[in-house]
Amino acid sequence: MEENKDQYEYHVPVMLQECLDGLDINPDGIYIDLTFGGGGHAREMYKLLSEKGKLIVFDQDADAKKNAWSAPNFHFVASNFSFLKNQLRMLGISKVDGILADLGVSSHQFNEPERGFSIRSDEKLDMRMNQRSGDSAYDVVNNYSEEQIMTMVGKYGEVKSPRRIAQAICLKRQSSPIATTGQLIAVLEPIAPKFKENKFYAQVFQAIRIEVNDEMNVLERMLEQTSEVLKPGGRLVVMSYHSLEDRLVKNYIKSGSFSGKVEKDFFGNILKPFKGISRKPLIANEEELERNSRARSAKLRVAERNEGE
């Protein structure tokens, strides 16, 4: 495996050692990194494997494939992680020992202005993690109804004034389309809370990005499949960056459902595929926060696959 000197510029791996500890890697096991990106986590996972071990990585972003390497026991899957089970079946794999998912947008995607993720640039509205398919942020902003936009920014952006945002967007696009991130910021500027403008813009951008990439539904489908492909005792390690993601992960680990409602069998036994390794999520230490500001919002949850569920 060749070292890629640009990997940490592409995406600095957050809580790297905590992720490796959580996976509790068996050198001869089969492991999956569902969010390969720059390969920061995956490379360190791979170093802990023997020749008998395997590492399979997923990423739907075409840019990520440039960070892959060639080895008999390494495989890059150019796919959204919601197709986890089908992709493993195509590789002849039914069960694995550990799964890592580092959710959200990579540093590389934020730092590439033309991707349209950042509030700090004036580029075309895109925000697709897979630029080869699906509606872009432009389509959402210019074609959704006022009610759809209000629901989206309220639910996924968790802002206090979703209707005002929707009305402002719909009013502006009557005269001309909102085509760039800068134009969208200009629409939002008059209604942004004073001294909290950047947080407000980030919340609206987050809402649009989640909608464009169908992130919540994709996350649910992925989590359900992890319980099917992990061996008993296998580890699930998930890192999230906002409360919506973390809530889904927490509920699924704790109760086996996304609502948090516990289901029981006829005998009163709780039906859930995982048990949490720690009660509270892990967060980055002060030293890491100084090196990498992206780690500030990260929450890491580790779970172990139960026997016989």
Side-chain angles (χ1 to χ4, degrees), residues 31-224:
Y31 290 86
I32 300 175
D33 182 348
L34 289 172
T35 46
F36 178 63
H41 288 101
R43 286 174 181 273
E44 299 307 314
M45 291 165 66
Y46 187 76
K47 289 176 183 177
L48 298 175
L49 296 177
S50 70
E51 291 182 1
K52 292 180 181 179
K54 286 183 181 178
L55 178 63
I56 297 117
V57 302
F58 283 64
D59 209 300
Q60 62 183 334
D61 189 337
D63 285 351
K65 193 169 184 179
K66 300 170 187 175
N67 300 306
W69 60 91
S70 296
N73 58 345
F74 172 86
H75 191 84
F76 180 91
V77 179
S79 170
N80 184 295
F81 57 45
S82 66
F83 300 106
L84 168 62
K85 193 175 176 183
N86 283 342
Q87 290 292 342
L88 290 182
R89 189 182 294 123
M90 290 170 65
L91 294 172
I93 297 170
S94 59
K95 296 292 181 182
V96 302
D97 296 270
I99 297 174
L100 170 69
D102 179 6
L103 305 174
V105 183
S106 72
S107 303
H108 170 74
Q109 289 168 327
F110 269 126
N111 294 336
E112 291 290 305
E114 65 272 15
R115 301 298 293 271
F117 287 109
S118 176
I119 64 173
R120 296 180 180 85
S121 60
D122 185 16
E123 297 288 339
K124 65 179 182 179
L125 280 169
D126 192 327
M127 299 194 196
R128 291 173 297 171
M129 293 185 185
N130 180 357
Q131 292 186 295
R132 295 164 293 182
S133 67
D135 288 344
S136 68
Y138 176 92
D139 300 312
V140 168
V141 168
N142 290 286
N143 297 332
Y144 272 29
S145 69
E146 183 178 312
E147 288 296 318
Q148 285 176 306
I149 293 173
M150 183 186 75
T151 300
M152 173 185 69
V153 294
K155 182 178 179 181
Y156 296 147
E158 299 181 294
V159 295
K160 295 179 180 178
S161 52
R163 185 169 290 281
R164 290 184 68 200
I165 295 166
Q167 288 174 338
I169 288 172
C170 291
L171 182 63
K172 172 62 179 74
R173 73 190 192 190
Q174 285 177 8
S175 56
S176 61
I178 302 169
T180 70
T181 52
Q183 289 172 7
L184 179 56
I185 293 289
V187 172
L188 299 172
E189 194 171 6
I191 57 175
K194 201 168 185 180
F195 307 120
K196 296 180 180 178
E197 292 91 346
N198 284 346
K199 181 182 178 182
F200 177 72
Y201 302 147
Q203 286 174 296
V204 176
F205 272 52
Q206 172 183 292
I208 297 169
R209 189 202 81 219
I210 289 173
E211 179 71 18
V212 165
N213 296 289
D214 196 22
E215 290 179 33
M216 295 298 101
N217 289 324
V218 165
L219 176 56
E220 287 185 9
R221 293 200 297 272
M222 178 270 279
L223 288 170
E224 288 174 333

Side-chain angles (χ1 to χ4, degrees), residues 231-234 272-275 304-309:
K231 296 176 182 176
K272 62 173 193 170
F274 290 103
K275 63 178 178 184
E304 187 171 288
R305 184 68 171 89
N306 287 329
E307 300 277 345
E309 287 288 342

